[in-house]
Amino acid sequence: MIENYIKGKFKSSIKAKEKRQAIKELFETTDQPPPVLNKVYARERLFPTGIGHGVAIPRYIGEEVKEITLVLGLSKVDMEFGALDHKPVKIIWLLLSPDHDKEKYTEILIRLIRLANTEEFKSQVPNLTSYEDLIELIRDLDK
């Protein structure tokens, strides 16, 4: 299910060194209108999106978003995302959704959080180098 929304959007090595740049780098792989990026930044300022286990899910849901979009980026450097466990982040999912897809958005978010809590995901994701490998891993774990 999650793989249906990634659509080739995977960065195996984010060049950014900090959170805001990383979000922008992932956002630039989408075809979402530029004002959406500022909405993601604003949401991140109010509610940091580090969920723990080295994972962050910056996200935004709003009428400006064209379609549900999911991008995965991997960082070689530790980033601060205000994680609940106070640990740095290296795995970043960007999740964008239009208002009318709130149920799908919620389902995707729950699945991402569930994946982030599995040992298989945490150990295998940092070694991914291709979109195809990412999709295969998600299909194996997201059941």
Side-chain angles (χ1 to χ4, degrees), residues 6-94:
I6 299 173
K7 300 178 186 170
K9 309 228 184 301
F10 170 59
K11 294 200 69 133
S12 62
S13 184
I14 295 175
K15 292 177 179 63
K17 304 289 185 227
E18 59 87 27
K19 165 172 70 172
R20 192 172 169 94
Q21 293 171 342
I23 292 170
K24 182 178 183 191
E25 192 173 331
L26 295 179
F27 183 83
E28 288 173 344
T29 68
T30 76
D31 63 350
Q32 298 294 338
V36 173
L37 178 59
N38 289 327
K39 301 286 187 170
V40 176
Y41 289 154
R43 193 218 177 274
E44 186 69 34
R45 273 192 307 278
L46 291 174
F47 304 104
T49 56
I51 63 166
H53 307 288
V55 178
I57 310 174
R59 55 197 178 271
Y60 175 70
I61 186 167
E63 62 186 33
E64 316 87 324
V65 179
K66 295 180 192 178
E67 64 180 348
I68 293 179
T69 303
L70 185 59
V71 184
L72 174 63
L74 304 178
S75 176
K76 303 284 188 224
V77 299
D78 292 344
M79 292 192 197
E80 173 56 46
F81 268 84
L84 298 172
D85 61 2
H86 306 288
K87 292 185 179 174
V89 164
K90 288 189 176 180
I91 301 168
I92 306 163
W93 289 101
L94 175 64

Side-chain angles (χ1 to χ4, degrees), residues 88-103:
V89 164
K90 288 189 176 180
I91 301 168
I92 306 163
W93 289 101
L94 175 64
L95 174 59
L96 307 170
S97 176
D99 278 332
H100 66 270
D101 273 335
K102 287 179 183 173
E103 285 182 29

